[in-house]
Amino acid sequence: MKTLTLTEVKSAASILLEGGLVAIPTETVYGLAAPVFSESSVEKIFRVKGRPSDNPLIVHVSSMEQIERVAEDIPYEFYHLAEVFFPGPLTVILKKKASVPPIVSAHLDTIGVRMPKHPLALQLIQEMDVPLAAPSANLSGKPSSTQASHVLNDFDGKIEAILDGGPCIEGLESTVLLLEPKPIILRPGSIEKERIETVLRKKVEYASHLADRPLSPGMKYRHYCPKAKVMLFNSENELANYLKSTSAKTKVIKDLTPETLYHSFRQADLENVEEIAILLDAAHKEHVALMNRLQRAAYFGE
Ligand code: TXA
Ligand code: MG
C-alpha cells in the first residue's frame, strides 16, 4: 500500500482510474474510496472490508452538480441543508438514480450523499470529476480509522494506496439523515438534531439504534468494536469498585473525547487489553453521537 501526500492527488486519481482502491482523509474518519460508477471497484470495497452486501455505501461529492448525477427528485429541503452544512459532516439520504450501480446502495432505491470538508478529498473528487463511493476505512465491525496508521493496520497489502491527510479533525462519522417521508436521524454525528431542526423548521426524530426493523441497514450490525470488552462507568466510585473486583487486563480511560475514541480503542487492541473501562462525565452523557458509539461498542462487544 502506497502512502501519498498532499502533492500526489493526481497519483491517487490515476490509481482509482486503473481500478485500485484509495483510502481518503475526511473531516470525520478516513474513507475507502472507489468511483461510484465502477462496479468492480465498489465490489472490491465490500470484499476487502468484509462488509455485508446489504449495508449501503455513502457517495462523496465535491460539487452540487455531482449530486444530481447520483440522485433524483431531490426535495427543496435538501438544498436548504446543503447551503448551511455542505461541505461538512452531514449525509443525506435521497432517491437514487437508476444509473448508479445497485451494489453501491445495497439494492435500496435510496442513496446517501455527502460533501466532505477536507481539501484533499475535495481535490481528489474534483480531479476525478466523478463522485466517490466510500464507507469508513476499517475492517467491518472494527473502530473507524482516524489516522493513516489505522488504515495501514487494517488494509496493508489489500488496497493500493492511502492519501494521507493527517489525523481526522472530528473523529466520529457523519450525521446520517433521512429526509422523507419525515426527517429522521439514522446515525447521530456532530451536526446535531437541533441545528437540523432550525434549518428545516420542523421536528427531527432519532431512529432507535436497537429498533427491530432498522431503517438504516448499518444499524443492525456490530460496529465500532475493539477486541476488548467495553465497559462504561458513571462515577469514580463505581469504577474503583469494579477495578478491585476484576482480574482482567484493563485499560482505564478517564479523559475520553470524540476525537480520540477510536484511537484509544485501537491502542487497546494493540496492547492486547481484555477490557476497556471508560469513566463518563456529564458532558460525555450529553454528547449524543459519542454515547451512540460507546453504547453500541458496549452492547455488541463480546
Ligand atoms: O463520516 C462518514 O460518514 C464516513 C466518511 C468516510 O465519509 N463514512 C462512513 O461510512 O461512516 P459507513 O459506510 O461506515 O457508514 C455509512 C452509514 C451506514 O450505517 C449505512 O447503513 C448508512 O450510512 N447508509 C448509507 N446509505 C444508506 C441508505 N441509502 N439508506 C439508509 N442508510 C444508509
Ligand atoms: Mg463504518
Side-chain angles (χ1 to χ4, degrees):
M1 173 171 133
K2 257 191 212 161
T3 299
L4 304 171
T5 58
L6 75 171
T7 55
E8 295 169 299
V9 172
K10 281 204 162 76
S11 311
S14 311
I15 293 172
L16 289 174
L17 283 172
E18 285 161 14
L21 299 185
V22 178
I24 59 166
T26 82
E27 77 281 33
T28 58
V29 299
Y30 273 81
L32 185 55
V36 69
F37 298 110
S38 307
E39 227 175 315
S40 59
S41 298
V42 173
E43 211 180 297
K44 195 171 159 198
I45 293 180
F46 280 88
R47 205 165 55 236
V48 298
K49 268 188 70 100
R51 185 176 179 100
S53 58
D54 65 351
N55 196 3
L57 309 184
I58 292 173
V59 176
H60 297 69
V61 301
S62 62
S63 69
M64 291 303 287
E65 174 271 323
Q66 287 174 358
I67 290 167
E68 280 144 37
R69 286 161 68 185
V70 295
E72 60 190 19
D73 298 342
I74 302 173
Y76 70 92
E77 287 181 322
F78 168 77
Y79 292 98
H80 290 316
L81 290 169
E83 210 165 285
V84 178
F85 298 119
F86 280 17
L90 178 67
T91 298
V92 185
I93 309 298
L94 298 171
K95 183 159 183 263
K96 176 179 133 356
K97 264 210 162 134
S99 50
V100 176
I103 184 175
V104 176
S105 65
H107 291 85
L108 296 176
D109 55 10
T110 55
I111 189 109
V113 180
R114 97 174 188 94
M115 189 186 288
K117 193 176 184 170
H118 193 293
L120 294 187
L122 291 171
Q123 264 179 49
L124 178 61
I125 301 166
Q126 220 157 351
E127 176 73 31
M128 294 292 294
D129 197 23
V130 71
L132 298 180
S136 52
N138 53 274
L139 295 172
S140 192
K142 289 282 152 201
S144 295
S145 294
T146 55
Q147 58 187 58
S149 66
H150 300 164
V151 178
L152 200 73
N153 207 33
D154 284 10
F155 294 113
D156 196 17
K158 296 183 187 153
I159 66 171
E160 281 65 26
I162 176 169
L163 186 53
D164 188 350
C168 300
I169 287 175
E170 297 220 349
L172 295 180
E173 305 81 355
S174 62
T175 304
V176 178
L177 177 71
L178 183 70
L179 262 184
E180 292 186 317
K182 56 178 184 170
I184 299 177
I185 291 180
L186 302 180
R187 180 178 69 186
S190 69
I191 295 184
E192 297 106 336
K193 180 165 101 85
E194 295 70 22
R195 289 168 70 198
I196 297 172
E197 286 175 334
T198 303
V199 174
L200 294 180
R201 299 209 204 145
K202 58 163 108 158
K203 277 268 162 221
V204 175
E205 286 174 53
Y206 287 117
S208 156
H209 64 282
L210 301 175
D212 288 343
R213 244 162 40 90
L215 288 168
S216 181
M219 293 161 82
K220 68 175 188 251
Y221 290 110
R222 186 172 188 270
H223 257 311
Y224 321 118
C225 294
K227 281 186 283 194
K229 181 176 179 192
V230 176
M231 308 180 78
L232 308 176
F233 294 90
N234 290 308
S235 69
E236 286 275 7
N237 223 350
E238 210 180 277
L239 173 63
N241 283 338
Y242 177 73
L243 292 176
K244 267 185 246 157
S245 73
T246 184
S247 56
K249 183 173 175 191
T250 305
K251 180 185 178 95
V252 177
I253 302 178
K254 291 190 177 182
D255 53 358
L256 187 73
T257 68
E259 295 80 16
T260 56
L261 172 69
Y262 293 140
H263 182 67
S264 312
F265 279 3
R266 283 176 172 270
Q267 278 302 114
D269 278 353
L270 291 176
E271 293 159 18
N272 282 313
V273 161
E274 292 166 280
E275 296 176 348
I276 304 173
I278 301 175
L279 179 63
L280 300 176
D281 63 22
H284 292 132
K285 288 181 211 166
E286 274 172 27
H287 197 302
V288 178
L290 181 66
M291 288 310 293
N292 167 269
R293 307 310 189 270
L294 286 173
Q295 278 162 354
R296 292 182 56 122
Y299 176 88
F300 282 98
E302 289 101 357

